[in-house]
Amino acid sequence: MPPTLQQKNWHLLVAATSIGVAFAVMGIKYVAYLMTGSVALFSDAMESIVNVLTAIAALIAIRVGSHPPDRRHPFGHHKAEYFSAVLEGALIIVAALVIFHEAYGALLEPRALTEPAAGLLVNGVATAINAGWAWLLIDRGRAWKSPALSGDGRHLLSDVLTSVGVLAGLVLATLTGWSILDPLLAGVVALNILRLGYDLVMRSMSKLMDEAASPEIEARIRAAIKANAEGALQAHDVRTRTAGPAIFIEFHLVVPGAMTVAAAHAICDRLEAAIEADIKGAQVVIHVEPEHKAKPKGAVEV
Ligand code: ZN
Ligand code: ZN
């Protein structure tokens, strides 16, 4: 079921608020770093940058990606989100490298935190805001059946867990005087950020290069062809490529050579309607062939 206009506006509002929340949390966490001089809290603030960027990319994806096709972009604008995601991933990797640099400096010269109690409290407030927003995103994502929203929420929740770990480690460092824990924690956070950035870049690049639909979707396409191609002989060379929520599907349909164009076209219309009804975002193009073009292997026999 396509989202209603009202639902889409709510999605936009949530995405825009995500940016505001991420900015605020990043600012508060940065203040906590300035109060304490802790590189672990610095890394925690940098991790919030990841959320700011993710939230902005989500907004761009919803806005630009949903522009209808036009003369210069007849297949639509779905790939806009991948461009912003690649850029985002690259910036995240830079953030991780900056943390490594800071952590290395602190590792050579471990120092006790200034104002540990106040700084940890300030960071704790930001973490609590994040936890509340994560809960709301997961809840709304479930209610609106939006995997993107609940995915954002779960990502944010994993950040909250990291922050809680950092806070616990710093409390331990303050109580025991083990200043070395601070840069070590920062290093762990940086490794996690590096992994996020790497995954994001790799995933987005693969999708920019016309990634095929999932095996599950391809199985459903073949089943829909088999169930709706009565009158044809076989289908072969089924190819799919995905662009955001759109799935472009094409295949060859072999029919008896003596069949009229009108009859073959009726089968094609039936197939297109059946596949597009079964698979969200599907756009189907079918190439008709006479029987001597049939392929012995890998075809969907009717
Ligand atoms: Zn063929
Ligand atoms: Zn037609």
Side-chain angles (χ1 to χ4, degrees):
M1 201 168 58
T4 60
L5 184 65
Q6 209 185 6
Q7 242 175 10
K8 205 178 141 195
N9 286 339
W10 275 110
H11 277 154
L12 274 175
L13 183 68
V14 169
T17 312
S18 271
I19 298 177
V21 171
F23 255 118
V25 165
M26 182 178 73
I28 299 172
K29 286 188 171 178
Y30 194 74
V31 169
Y33 153 66
L34 290 180
M35 290 169 80
T36 55
S38 156
V39 277
L41 290 187
F42 173 70
S43 70
D44 199 38
M46 291 295 266
E47 194 170 34
S48 300
I49 292 184
V50 173
N51 299 333
V52 172
L53 294 172
T54 311
I56 292 175
L59 194 64
I60 293 175
I62 296 173
R63 299 237 27 157
V64 181
S66 65
H67 283 180
D70 55 34
R71 215 150 54 86
R72 297 294 307 152
H73 303 96
F75 289 93
H77 301 83
H78 310 290
K79 287 187 175 175
E81 63 184 275
Y82 302 140
F83 281 104
S84 60
V86 169
L87 180 68
E88 187 190 332
L91 290 173
I92 289 170
I93 291 171
V94 170
L97 296 179
V98 171
I99 298 171
F100 277 130
H101 178 81
E102 293 294 310
Y104 183 68
L107 203 57
L108 296 182
E109 255 179 87
R111 55 189 182 264
L113 309 189
T114 55
E115 303 261 14
L120 294 183
L121 189 68
V122 168
N123 181 284
V125 168
T127 300
I129 294 175
N130 253 352
W133 188 245
W135 177 82
L136 199 97
L137 286 179
I138 294 172
D139 181 65
R140 287 299 88 195
R142 226 173 255 153
W144 295 338
K145 297 199 187 345
S146 163
L149 275 190
S150 34
D152 285 352
R154 275 195 304 277
H155 167 86
L156 205 55
L157 201 60
S158 78
D159 280 2
V160 171
L161 295 180
T162 316
S163 300
V164 170
V166 166
L167 281 174
L170 288 179
V171 168
L172 188 66
T174 308
L175 293 180
T176 59
W178 297 336
S179 301
I180 197 113
L181 269 180
D182 183 34
L184 287 182
L185 283 167
V188 172
V189 174
L191 277 178
N192 186 42
I193 296 176
L194 200 59
R195 185 182 57 83
L196 285 175
Y198 177 80
D199 282 354
L200 191 60
V201 169
M202 289 326 247
R203 227 176 26 230
S204 311
M205 300 246 268
S206 168
K207 293 197 161 143
L208 270 178
M209 286 187 281
D210 286 347
E211 196 175 71
S214 67
E216 186 250 324
I217 294 275
E218 296 208 331
R220 268 164 62 190
I221 294 169
R222 298 178 90 85
I225 294 174
K226 206 167 173 51
N228 295 281
E230 202 193 328
L233 301 170
Q234 68 159 224
H236 60 248
D237 288 2
V238 180
R239 294 196 300 171
T240 60
R241 62 191 176 88
T242 52
I247 303 177
F248 299 101
I249 302 163
E250 56 175 62
F251 57 88
H252 300 181
L253 186 72
V254 179
V255 301
M259 184 180 269
T260 63
V261 171
H265 181 251
I267 300 174
C268 289
D269 271 358
R270 196 168 70 221
L271 279 169
E272 287 167 5
I275 295 170
E276 285 168 11
D278 183 38
I279 294 157
K280 202 168 157 249
Q283 295 181 40
V284 188
V285 173
I286 304 170
H287 171 80
V288 171
E289 295 175 332
E291 58 260 55
H292 75 271
K293 292 290 215 172
K295 285 197 174 171
K297 271 193 191 152
V300 183
E301 302 298 341
V302 180

